[in-house]
């Protein structure tokens, strides 16, 4: 009777999901709720949750939510990454707005957030957890190198991957269909082929700079200090191709030693140095270069790219003084004359008391979340009593319905809370619509998953950035 009683108790415990410890020290589980803090149920055992994956946002208490993931470098070797936090806020703002409008098909969205620490291998480990354990249908990723690495995990699992900051030209020809009809990697940012054109036209004098009282002298010798990944390499390649012998460059590893790059600048003495890298590295590179007499007062000028449009770069008074008046380019986020951007800007400031125009890609992040939600609406379909499955492939199919063919007349919807419900209903009905984002028109090439975008030319003014003009990239 005792043996039978213990067996019955054991079966009851197993049925209730309670965990047992195996001989190998692993606890068995049915769901992650059976495991302790910082561990998750994977293949029937409680295993450590990947480091950095401890945030959950959105409808955390909703029944049967649509599950998303985010892989963001919220911290780096220098500490907290303010620019990434503001882009994350762009994602969260849109997520909260969509959920306040009842989500899609009566289901709201929840998003598991992993801090990748700007490490590609970390991101791949976290992505594996998101697709296997959390079973996300779509994930957001930041940066070209990281998004490239993460895509090797998500594509084979048919998970949609959306980036709001990846600009490398390598994504244009990425093999991302996994046997399906449409690609699984999309981005709200344009290819750096375009940014290369814009920078080249500015530095060669083809683009007149709208900066009254200032005269831009075309440099005859240009140096490029670039991060050694597909973002930095791609930009350097574009500048080399378009500006020829006027350009040479030096590379460094992200979050690594910038000493070699500084020594190269000291030896080669460029008239203008393009900083094609991230804020945390440039915040170390500029002071180190100044200490070696590579500075404005000795004949060098600086030029910034999108990854450094971040007020954190200007926190140090000496760095801000050295970069005073410096120009830079980024895909146009701030568009003060556009009503879609104005509404986003107002809601962002109210929610987070920050000006999104001071950080690159905040509007692109906001748009990215809305696009995924609309793709999910297409996946659900028009019969809510028999909804379609929401999968990465089905969301991607929905994204192809957001840009009409040339000459086709459809209704245009601004991305945001005001007309989301109407746009959602059109997608559920399988209709093609046009969308305008806070970041721009978003006319997608459905084969490559990317849209052409205008660029802004900005200037360092004190410890902030001032937009001088919006530039349409020249034809190739």
């Amino acid at each position: 009777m005792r043996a039978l009683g213990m067996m019955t108790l054991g079966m009851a415990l197993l049925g209730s999901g309670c965990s047992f410890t195996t001989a190998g020290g692993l606890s068995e589980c049915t769901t992650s709720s059976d495991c302790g803090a910082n561990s998750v149920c994977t293949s029937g055992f409680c295993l450590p949750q990947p480091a950095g994956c401890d945030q959950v946002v959105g409808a955390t208490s909703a029944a049967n939510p649509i599950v998303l993931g985010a892989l963001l470098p919220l911290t780096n070797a220098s500490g907290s990454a303010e620019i990434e936090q503001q882009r994350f806020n762009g994602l969260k703002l849109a997520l909260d707005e969509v959920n306040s409008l009842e989500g899609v098909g009566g289901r709201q969205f929840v998003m598991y957030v992993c801090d990748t620490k700007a490490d590609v291998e970390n991101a791949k480990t976290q992505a594996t957890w998101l697709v296997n354990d959390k079973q996300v249908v779509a994930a957001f990723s930041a940066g070209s190198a990281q998004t490239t690495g993460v895509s090797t995990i998500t594509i084979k699992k048919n998970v949609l991957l959306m980036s709001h900051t990846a600009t490398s030209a390598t994504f244009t020809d990425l093999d991302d269909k996994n046997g399906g009809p449409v690609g699984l990697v999309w981005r709200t940012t344009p290819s750096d082929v375009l940014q290369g054109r814009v920078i080249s036209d500015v530095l060669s004098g083809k683009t007149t700079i709208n900066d009254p009282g200032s005269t831009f002298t075309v440099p005859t010798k240009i140096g490029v200090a670039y991060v050694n990944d597909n973002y930095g390499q791609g930009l350097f390649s574009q500048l080399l191709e378009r500006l020829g012998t006027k350009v040479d460059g030096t590379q460094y590893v992200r979050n690594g030693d910038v000493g070699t790059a500084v020594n190269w600048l000291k030896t080669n003495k460029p008239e203008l140095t393009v900083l094609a890298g991230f804020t945390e590295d440039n915040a170390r590179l500029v002071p180190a270069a100044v200490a070696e007499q590579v500075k404005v007062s000795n004949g060098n000028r600086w030029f910034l790219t999108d990854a450094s449009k971040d007020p954190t770069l200007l926190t140090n008074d000496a760095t801000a003084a050295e970069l005073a008046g410096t120009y830079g380019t980024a895909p146009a986020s701030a568009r003060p004359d556009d009503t879609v951007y104005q509404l986003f800007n107002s809601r962002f400031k109210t929610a987070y008391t920050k000006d999104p125009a001071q950080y690159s890609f905040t509007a692109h992040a906001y748009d990215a979340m809305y696009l995924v939600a609309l793709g999910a609406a297409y996946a659900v379909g028009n019969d809510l009593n028999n909804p379609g499955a929401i999968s990465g492939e089905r969301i991607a199919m929905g994204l192809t319905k957001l840009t009409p063919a040339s000459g086709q007349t459809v209704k245009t919807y601004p991305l945001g809370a005001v007309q989301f419900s109407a746009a959602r209903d059109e997608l559920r009905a399988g209709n093609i619509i046009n969308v305008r984002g806070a970041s721009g028109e978003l006319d997608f090439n459905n084969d490559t998953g990317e849209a052409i975008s205008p660029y802004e030319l900005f200037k360092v003014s004190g410890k902030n950035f001032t937009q001088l003009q919006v530039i349409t990239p020249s034809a190739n």
Side-chain angles (χ1 to χ4, degrees), residues 177-236:
K177 291 187 177 181
N178 199 33
V182 65
L184 293 163
V185 179
W186 290 67
R187 54 179 171 172
T188 52
T189 50
S191 164
D192 273 330
V193 168
L194 300 182
Q195 184 166 202
R197 293 180 197 171
V198 172
I199 295 174
S200 297
D201 286 350
V202 169
L203 297 187
S204 65
K206 292 180 181 178
T207 297
T208 301
I209 296 177
N210 181 23
D211 189 11
S214 296
T215 301
F216 179 75
T217 303
V218 175
T220 58
K221 187 176 183 181
I222 301 168
V224 183
Y226 62 96
V227 61
N228 187 20
D229 65 13
N230 52 3
Y231 167 69
Q233 293 165 359
L235 268 178
F236 175 58

Side-chain angles (χ1 to χ4, degrees), residues 167-476:
T167 56
S168 171
T170 59
F171 292 103
T172 300
D173 299 316
L174 185 68
D175 182 7
D176 62 343
K177 291 187 177 181
N178 199 33
V182 65
L184 293 163
V185 179
W186 290 67
R187 54 179 171 172
T188 52
T189 50
S191 164
D192 273 330
V193 168
L194 300 182
Q195 184 166 202
R197 293 180 197 171
V198 172
I199 295 174
S200 297
D201 286 350
V202 169
L203 297 187
S204 65
K206 292 180 181 178
T207 297
T208 301
I209 296 177
N210 181 23
D211 189 11
S214 296
T215 301
F216 179 75
T217 303
V218 175
T220 58
K221 187 176 183 181
I222 301 168
V224 183
Y226 62 96
V227 61
N228 187 20
D229 65 13
N230 52 3
Y231 167 69
Q233 293 165 359
L235 268 178
F236 175 58
S237 175
Q238 287 296 315
L239 295 176
L240 191 63
E241 179 180 332
R242 301 186 75 85
L243 295 173
T245 56
K246 294 177 65 173
V247 174
D248 200 356
T250 177
Q251 64 187 22
Y252 56 87
V253 176
R254 186 174 184 180
N255 291 321
D257 182 18
V258 296
T260 300
V262 169
N263 287 334
W264 185 92
L265 294 174
K266 179 181 178 181
T267 300
N268 287 271
K269 296 181 174 59
E271 293 177 16
L272 182 144
T273 301
V274 178
L275 297 174
F278 297 89
T279 302
E280 63 268 24
D281 292 322
N282 289 333
R284 293 181 295 116
L285 191 153
V286 172
V290 168
E292 294 294 338
Q293 304 305 306
V294 180
K295 54 185 179 179
V296 172
S297 61
N298 282 345
N300 180 65
R301 288 175 287 165
W302 305 97
F303 195 96
L304 303 177
T305 61
D306 50 25
S308 281
K309 193 190 177 191
D310 173 4
T312 305
L313 178 65
L314 309 174
T315 301
N316 180 280
D317 290 342
T319 300
E322 174 65 16
L323 295 177
T326 291
Y327 298 126
T329 58
S333 182
R335 296 181 302 126
D337 296 329
D338 183 85
T339 56
V340 184
Y341 175 79
Q342 288 174 349
L343 182 58
F344 157 73
N345 180 275
S346 174
R347 293 179 68 84
F348 192 101
K349 287 179 177 177
T350 299
Y352 305 113
T353 65
K354 295 280 188 177
D355 180 2
Q358 291 300 310
Y359 306 87
S360 59
F361 302 126
T362 50
H364 296 80
Y366 179 81
D367 290 344
M369 180 62 72
Y370 266 106
L371 293 173
V372 168
L374 290 175
Y378 172 84
V380 167
N382 219 21
D383 184 359
L384 294 183
N385 293 318
N386 186 31
I390 299 178
S391 65
E393 184 178 292
R394 291 282 294 162
I395 294 173
M397 285 296 298
L399 295 178
T400 69
K401 307 298 181 182
L402 302 179
T403 303
S406 178
Q408 183 179 15
T409 301
V410 298
K411 186 169 182 179
T412 296
Y413 293 91
L415 296 182
V418 176
Q419 294 196 45
F420 171 72
S421 296
R424 174 186 61 196
D425 292 346
E426 289 258 34
L427 266 296
R428 281 183 43 221
N431 296 328
I432 294 175
I433 65 172
N434 189 42
V435 295
R436 288 176 53 231
S439 65
E441 292 297 332
L442 295 174
D443 293 328
F444 284 101
N445 179 324
N446 290 333
D447 291 327
T448 64
E450 61 190 27
I452 294 174
S453 170
Y455 281 77
E456 63 177 344
L457 181 70
F458 60 83
K459 179 180 180 178
V460 175
S461 302
K463 294 199 173 184
N464 291 292
F465 302 96
T466 301
Q467 184 186 92
L468 297 178
Q469 65 208 75
V470 174
I471 301 171
T472 299
S474 61
N476 192 9

Side-chain angles (χ1 to χ4, degrees), residues 52-53 55 57 68-72 74 88 91 111-116 126 130 136 138-142 146 164 369:
C53 296
Q55 275 197 77
V57 297
L68 308 174
L71 298 141
L72 311 172
L74 298 173
F88 178 31
L91 289 172
M111 184 165 71
Y112 291 85
V113 183
C114 294
D115 175 12
T116 68
Q126 294 163 342
L130 287 172
V136 302
F140 300 90
S141 179
Q146 176 179 294
H164 49 284
M369 180 62 72

